[in-house]
Amino acid sequence: AQRVTQPEKLLSVFKGAPVELKCNYSYSGSPELFWYVQYSRQRLQLLLRHISRESIKGFTADLNKGETSFHLKKPFAQEEDSAMYYCALSRGAGEYDYKLSFGAGTTVTVRA
Amino acid sequence: TAGITQAPTSQILAAGRSMTLRCTQDMRHNAMYWYRQDLGLGLRLIHYSNTAGTTGKGEVPDGYSVSRANTDDFPLTLASAVPSQTSVYFCASSDNSGGGNEQFFGPGTRLTVL
């Protein structure tokens, strides 16, 4: 069974400080990992996925298969980064099973 | 385009009553999903549909049923609501035809069962 763990429910940082959201997963195959974000009064939306290997809004995430982790990082947090962040996992391409398993979420508050 | 719409926005329901949450997408996505969002538990998949005419059970399907008569609509029915079904419900869709699986979410329905 696949499982996603986000150990931090709440994360508070000051503006300009680095922020790291932890995500660990368990899955026996080669998963696809995602970070979704929900800003206040907005819909849940995709932030980034590991296969894209890109930086979105200054955020990056590296898939570490050895540690089964997909931590989300940003070197300088901004107030507009305050949101709920979800790590999610799906089975790899080719398995025709694209259901997502979500972590419990981390609420990030960036203070001025 | 509207993307994904859900109705109603919120609802208070007496225990034992039935209710259907509506979800419609105009993106012609083949796959659709229903999640419930609960504090400390994140999003949990209730039911899903990979294509019109097929449905499958997710992580927490008990007490819920779905149908997928066409590509656009994916209603979620609570036959006899219980207080533990108080939650925020999100519908989502994705185009998995090319192997990609970004899910697009609706605005949610806040349901309170008393």
Side-chain angles (χ1 to χ4, degrees), chain A residues 9 32 34 36 38 43-46 49 84 86 90-91 93 96-105, chain B residues 2 4-5 30 33 35 37 40-43 45 48 50-51 90 96 99-103 105-107:
Chain A
K9 291 186 178 180
E32 293 195 37
F34 307 81
Y36 280 79
Q38 187 174 26
R43 303 183 184 202
L44 193 67
Q45 58 188 285
L46 178 67
R49 62 175 74 180
M84 171 74 88
Y86 289 101
S90 76
R91 297 181 184 183
Y96 194 59
D97 182 349
Y98 300 109
K99 300 191 295 292
L100 288 176
S101 295
F102 284 85
Chain B
I4 297 183
T5 58
N30 58 308
Y33 313 85
Y35 296 90
Q37 182 187 43
L41 298 175
L43 275 78
L45 183 66
Y48 67 97
N50 284 331
T51 187
F90 288 100
N96 298 335
N101 53 356
E102 174 183 355
Q103 293 189 12
F105 286 80

Side-chain angles (χ1 to χ4, degrees), chain A residues 99-102, chain B residues 6 19-23 32-38 41-50 54-67 74-79 84-92 103 105 108-111:
Chain A
K99 300 191 295 292
L100 288 176
S101 295
F102 284 85
Chain B
Q6 292 183 236
M19 178 170 184
T20 295
L21 280 62
R22 300 185 297 279
C23 175
M32 297 187 74
Y33 313 85
W34 273 106
Y35 296 90
R36 57 177 291 171
Q37 182 187 43
D38 300 289
L41 298 175
L43 275 78
R44 293 180 293 168
L45 183 66
I46 305 171
H47 285 287
Y48 67 97
S49 169
N50 284 331
T54 69
T55 62
K57 294 182 179 180
E59 183 184 353
V60 288
D62 295 342
Y64 306 94
S65 64
V66 293
S67 62
F74 191 44
L76 176 73
T77 298
L78 288 69
S84 62
Q85 292 178 308
T86 293
S87 186
V88 181
Y89 291 86
F90 288 100
C91 181
Q103 293 189 12
F105 286 80
T109 293
R110 183 175 296 275
L111 179 66

Side-chain angles (χ1 to χ4, degrees), chain A residues 74-93:
Chain A
K74 185 170 182 177
F76 308 103
Q78 302 299 314
E79 290 181 75
E80 56 264 31
D81 297 327
S82 296
M84 171 74 88
Y85 293 80
Y86 289 101
C87 183
L89 174 154
S90 76
R91 297 181 184 183

Side-chain angles (χ1 to χ4, degrees), chain A residues 1-89:
Chain A
Q2 54 206 59
R3 184 180 178 87
V4 178
T5 303
Q6 293 178 249
E8 305 134 332
K9 291 186 178 180
L10 301 171
L11 198 57
S12 180
V13 299
F14 285 104
K15 178 182 175 180
V19 60
E20 179 179 29
L21 288 73
K22 291 183 168 48
C23 172
N24 290 91
Y25 66 90
S26 62
Y27 178 62
S28 56
S30 294
E32 293 195 37
L33 275 297
F34 307 81
W35 277 99
Y36 280 79
V37 61
Q38 187 174 26
Y39 301 104
S40 178
R41 298 190 181 86
Q42 293 188 28
R43 303 183 184 202
L44 193 67
Q45 58 188 285
L46 178 67
L47 178 62
L48 55 78
R49 62 175 74 180
H50 89 272
I51 59 174
S52 298
R53 304 183 69 83
E54 57 190 347
S55 174
I56 303 294
K57 298 184 178 182
F59 285 98
T60 59
D62 292 320
L63 178 61
N64 186 323
K65 292 186 177 181
E67 296 183 357
T68 60
S69 68
F70 188 57
H71 304 326
L72 183 68
K73 303 176 184 178
K74 185 170 182 177
F76 308 103
Q78 302 299 314
E79 290 181 75
E80 56 264 31
D81 297 327
S82 296
M84 171 74 88
Y85 293 80
Y86 289 101
C87 183
L89 174 154

